[in-house]
Amino acid sequence: LYGIAAEGIPILDTRHEQGAALMAEGWALATGETGVCLVTAGPGFTNALTGVANAYMNGSPIVCMAGRRPRAHADTWTLQELDQLPIIEPITCWARSVPDGARAAEYLRTAFAEARSGRPGPVYLDVPADLLARPVDDGALDRVLSPVAASRPAPDDDAVGQVLDLLGKAERPIIVAGSGAHWSGAGEAISLLASTFGVPVFTANAGRGTIPDTDPWCLGPASPMGGSFGAAAAGSDLVLALGVRMGFVMLNGMLFGGSTLVRVDIDRGELARNAAGKVEVVSDVRAFCEALTKAGQSDATPARAAWLDQLREANAAARSQYDSLLVGPRGRIHPAAAINAMVDVGGERATYVADGGDTMVWGMSRFPANAAGHLLTTSSYFGALGVGVPYALAAKAARPDEPCLLWAGDGAFGFNAIEFDTAVRHNIPIVAVVANNGTWGMSWHGQGLVHGYDDLVATELGDRPYERLVEALGGHGERVENIEDLRPAIERALASGKPACVNVLVDPEVISAATQAMASMGVA
């Protein structure tokens, strides 16, 4: 750390190593760059594992560096003794221990290259304590500062031709742009592709915002829980899946069962999982879009224009229904009302972060994504709670002049709420709006719908003054119980210039469509 500080690189020190690893991933998601975290050996290393695993499941490039006991102290029960590499190797793209001080710079350069090699992901490098204080020659450091040049694998001409042929025959095509679109910086290329061929676009995971929701061809989130995506998936005749994992969120590809599926991914192995594509293209997403647009001609047919109008009408109907949700069955604030108030105050260009179960589902149905890295959320596949505060800190640190608002369930907020101390110490004024329903909502309703509400286990949290916790740490805090107080409280929190928490009592009986769907499958 002394060396990093000496180079003028700012250090954001956290209260817990999980927060550090999640902040590193939050930086990567918000900026498209590689995030970095440093943790101590032993328990510091194990504390960071959830953040590393989350990055692995998301395909987010981070470099996690850790200390390690001195090499000569192996098997002596020295301080923080732990064989770390075998633990972390399964959840990283590459993991090594520096064998010699003279090669430290070489290993560091390799770590950054491996994090962006093919499908991005986390890499791990530990440095034995006996090597940490050894000098490294300037020539080696110069090589570290000259990163390995990135290349973008392009599709072959045959694959492009096959996709062009399918596009020429399709009347109801859609594009689904996933995380691969984000990491390849494919936003402009997708927008041009969509307008050239007249194809509506839905975005998923880190791909949210890569082509902004304000783009005339973008119809928002690729989620069956709101908007027109469910109708689009069921009614489409061609799906171009660009950098999208076909996991359970996409029903392992069965969501597109009636469509011709084209899969594009930089990772050949990803194309082999779950749903087989009619055409499978190993390519960088941006390179594929550029090649397809260059080879094709404008084909925005009347049938496709009618298809787009149909989906826009479905979006408008879903939005109208969402906006009508003000209070829940018990008369308390509906989560949708709190989210609408956040967007009213934060604006369309703010960064929004969603953390939780049901809470996250409601947020993802409404939050805008109008630029790459401006909507960060709990991983759809790993499902780690507690990402919200670290993600928000990283996004605000990356864009200090733009507002950053976090929407977090009360359960999820508790995981890393202490990182508000980090926010105060480093003057990072994020605003957290906590959906306080006093329960682990997804579990409460999941168990209740499957087993009955009279026999619930470990689902109660109770009403806690989360705003006072943030106040005690030096931030701004408010509690909101009435819907008319929502917007003014969020406005005051944003205007305070401090890290802030607005603790909103929301109705516990509100159930998301995601929880209802899982309960119908017997998942509690």
Side-chain angles (χ1 to χ4, degrees):
L1 292 178
Y2 287 106
I4 293 173
E7 292 295 323
I9 300 173
I11 298 171
L12 296 178
D13 55 307
T14 63
R15 291 295 301 267
H16 192 281
E17 290 86 357
Q18 184 184 113
L22 289 170
M23 278 184 67
E25 189 195 10
W27 180 273
L29 290 167
T31 65
E33 302 170 354
T34 301
V36 181
C37 64
L38 294 88
V39 299
T40 193
F45 162 85
T46 56
N47 283 344
L49 288 175
T50 294
V52 174
N54 199 66
Y56 184 71
M57 291 295 291
N58 281 341
S60 302
I62 69 170
V63 174
C64 176
M65 298 182 65
R68 185 183 174 198
R69 53 103 176 100
R71 292 171 295 172
H73 293 184
D75 300 317
T76 65
W77 296 116
T78 190
L79 179 64
Q80 297 181 333
E81 169 71 49
L82 186 66
D83 194 2
Q84 296 171 174
L85 280 178
I87 297 172
I88 204 167
E89 282 175 334
I91 55 171
T92 54
C93 302
W94 180 90
R96 296 290 189 277
S97 182
V98 175
D100 184 88
R103 300 185 66 192
E106 169 197 345
Y107 271 78
L108 186 59
R109 185 171 188 252
T110 303
F112 277 89
E114 291 285 356
R116 305 303 288 253
S117 179
R119 184 179 185 86
V123 302
Y124 171 76
L125 185 65
D126 68 30
V127 185
D130 53 313
L131 299 182
L132 284 173
R134 296 192 180 184
V136 177
D137 68 85
D138 291 341
L141 287 175
D142 289 342
R143 290 193 294 276
V144 173
L145 298 175
S146 301
V148 177
S151 62
R152 295 189 293 112
D156 61 51
D157 292 340
D158 287 344
V160 172
Q162 291 179 61
V163 178
L164 276 176
D165 182 60
L166 292 172
L167 264 175
K169 299 173 182 177
E171 294 186 350
R172 301 179 308 281
I174 62 171
I175 292 170
V176 182
S179 297
H182 176 60
W183 302 119
S184 68
E188 290 184 7
I190 294 174
S191 180
L192 183 58
L193 172 65
S195 61
T196 299
F197 293 99
V199 184
V201 181
F202 296 89
T203 56
N205 301 323
R208 293 285 288 123
T210 302
I211 172 172
D213 289 352
T214 52
D215 187 289
W217 289 96
C218 185
L219 296 178
S223 167
M225 302 306 170
S228 59
F229 181 66
S236 62
D237 56 6
L238 176 67
V239 177
L240 303 183
L242 308 180
V244 181
R245 275 184 164 161
M246 289 294 163
F248 85 94
V249 176
M250 302 294 171
L251 300 183
N252 291 355
M254 291 186 291
L255 197 63
F256 312 113
S259 307
T260 299
L261 179 62
V262 173
R263 297 190 63 184
V264 179
D265 204 285
I266 201 170
D267 182 357
R268 184 184 301 270
E270 195 63 43
L271 297 176
R273 292 187 178 94
N274 296 328
K278 176 77 172 180
V279 182
E280 296 171 341
V281 187
V282 181
S283 174
D284 172 88
V285 170
R286 178 178 161 191
F288 170 80
C289 293
E290 291 172 345
L292 191 62
T293 303
K294 183 178 180 181
Q297 297 178 356
S298 178
D299 196 20
T301 65
R304 293 187 191 174
W307 171 237
L308 177 64
D309 289 342
Q310 175 185 335
L311 297 179
R312 283 176 172 164
E313 289 175 7
N315 262 5
R319 174 66 184 274
S320 177
Q321 182 181 19
Y322 192 99
D323 290 346
S324 69
L325 301 172
L326 301 178
V327 296
R330 292 188 185 179
R332 293 186 184 178
I333 297 170
H334 195 289
I339 293 163
N340 276 336
M342 291 175 68
V343 177
D344 287 344
V345 175
E348 296 292 318
R349 294 289 298 181
T351 296
Y352 295 95
V353 182
D355 184 12
D358 268 2
T359 302
M360 184 270 290
V361 173
W362 286 109
M364 290 301 292
S365 299
R366 172 65 178 92
F367 284 134
N370 289 324
H374 279 62
L375 177 55
L376 313 182
T377 178
T378 304
S379 165
S380 298
Y381 292 111
F382 196 46
L385 302 184
V387 304
V389 177
Y391 277 8
L393 288 173
K396 183 64 175 177
R399 294 185 287 268
D401 296 328
E402 297 181 10
C404 180
L405 292 91
L406 162 65
W407 167 246
D410 47 359
F413 184 72
F415 279 84
N416 283 302
I418 193 59
E419 297 302 344
F420 259 90
D421 178 67
T422 302
V424 170
R425 284 185 290 110
H426 292 284
N427 190 28
I428 306 176
I430 61 173
V431 174
V433 178
V434 177
N436 180 0
N437 62 9
T439 71
W440 294 100
M442 190 167 270
S443 297
W444 194 64
H445 286 298
Q447 290 185 26
L449 292 171
V450 174
H451 304 290
Y453 284 89
D454 294 330
D455 192 23
L456 303 178
V457 179
T459 59
E460 300 287 344
L461 289 173
D463 179 6
R464 299 292 179 263
Y466 300 107
E467 78 284 2
R468 295 185 191 174
L469 170 64
V470 173
E471 283 181 324
L473 293 171
H476 174 90
E478 297 199 30
R479 178 182 172 93
V480 173
E481 299 183 14
N482 301 309
I483 194 167
E484 62 269 19
D485 298 327
L486 263 172
R487 179 167 178 163
I490 298 170
E491 288 175 337
R492 288 190 294 270
L494 198 60
S496 73
K498 296 180 178 181
C501 172
V502 180
N503 184 14
V504 180
L505 267 66
V506 298
D507 201 304
E509 293 193 22
V510 171
I511 313 173
S512 77
T515 296
Q516 290 175 327
M518 288 190 292
S520 69
M521 295 182 288
V523 180

